Amino acid sequence: EGWVGISSDLFAQVKDGWEFPGCKESRLKRCLGLPEERRLVRMARQRGFLVIGVSGGSGLKSCWDMEGDPRRVKDAVDYVLAEERLPGQIPIYATGASSGGAFMGALASSRVLDGRLRCVAPQIS
């Protein structure tokens, strides 16, 4: 049906202490994401959406680069869509919290997603 992007806040890259079934068996061997984030992912998947979580900045504990990261997010989205053999013009719906919410504005105004971005729902931007 579409793609849902979730962008993290400044510290969401840091292990937050929440563990869920399957975390230890994952390739990362631990889980990231708060319970409400995991519920959002689960509900989007149940509705047929592909969910991609992205983190911005230059590494651990770095913030979004409002000028450079839109292009990086586009490249990541295009890569995932190609790997999953999905149409390049699939509609994109995006949400983010805190600095990730602010990044939604930068992503939308950058227009790098070529009209595919259909909705932005910032949380606490």
Side-chain angles (χ1 to χ4, degrees):
E1 293 211 21
W3 172 81
V4 174
I6 300 174
S7 65
S8 62
D9 70 4
L10 175 60
F11 296 109
Q13 298 166 336
V14 179
K15 186 173 188 258
D16 55 28
W18 293 95
E19 294 293 330
F20 305 95
C23 291
K24 299 271 188 254
E25 290 79 36
S26 72
R27 286 204 265 168
L28 187 60
K29 303 295 182 209
R30 62 186 171 97
C31 287
L32 298 174
L34 297 170
E36 59 272 17
E37 294 167 335
R38 301 308 310 152
R39 184 168 186 247
L40 176 67
V41 168
R42 185 175 63 253
M43 293 182 83
R45 298 282 297 133
Q46 288 171 346
R47 287 167 174 76
F49 289 94
L50 169 67
V51 179
I52 304 171
V54 293
S55 295
S58 59
L60 193 62
K61 292 188 181 181
S62 65
C63 224
W64 287 96
D65 175 347
M66 301 296 175
E67 293 180 19
D69 281 344
R71 173 62 56 189
R72 290 184 197 102
V73 167
K74 179 202 180 297
D75 291 346
V77 168
D78 290 343
Y79 175 82
V80 170
L81 294 179
E83 286 294 308
E84 296 293 326
R85 294 182 172 92
L86 293 169
Q89 289 303 312
I90 195 168
I92 298 171
Y93 308 91
T95 188
S98 191
S99 65
F103 177 69
M104 294 294 97
L107 182 63
S109 66
S110 74
R111 301 190 179 271
V112 297
L113 293 171
D114 308 316
R116 296 181 286 172
L117 186 60
R118 303 290 170 82
C119 180
V120 172
Q123 307 167 47
I124 325 164
S125 72

